Amino acid sequence: MSNLTGRVLKNYNGYYYVVTPENVEYTCKIKGKMKQNRFSLATGDLVEFELNPKVVGEGMITKILPRKNFL
């Protein structure tokens, strides 16, 4: 599977809504390995995610890319 990049638009009940540069929106969850480590994921963060081959429009966030700023 290839990793896509996108920006987190919002999060709700453990789901993160990510939009790609092509303006396609995906509903994503955090991959289990990332949950074991402490992570900070905020709206506006850039992430890498992989698509779920069984469900159209869903994916798993695999990596949080470095932030440029944080308020």
Side-chain angles (χ1 to χ4, degrees):
M1 275 187 271
S2 63
N3 283 348
L4 299 171
T5 40
R7 186 173 302 273
V8 177
L9 291 178
K10 63 182 177 179
N11 61 342
Y12 183 72
N13 280 347
Y15 288 94
Y16 295 88
Y17 298 88
V18 178
V19 67
T20 62
E22 296 82 22
N23 286 330
V24 180
E25 188 175 324
Y26 295 97
T27 304
C28 298
K29 291 194 78 132
I30 295 289
K31 194 139 182 135
K33 276 186 180 178
M34 289 182 63
K35 286 183 183 180
Q36 293 172 355
N37 301 331
R38 290 183 57 97
F39 68 91
S40 173
L41 184 58
T43 301
D45 281 349
L46 290 173
V47 295
E48 283 186 2
F49 64 99
E50 56 189 33
L51 295 178
N52 184 346
K54 296 178 183 176
V55 182
V56 176
E58 284 193 6
M60 295 293 283
I61 296 174
T62 56
K63 183 177 180 183
I64 302 169
L65 301 175
R67 286 189 183 126
K68 292 183 180 178
N69 54 27
F70 182 72
L71 181 62

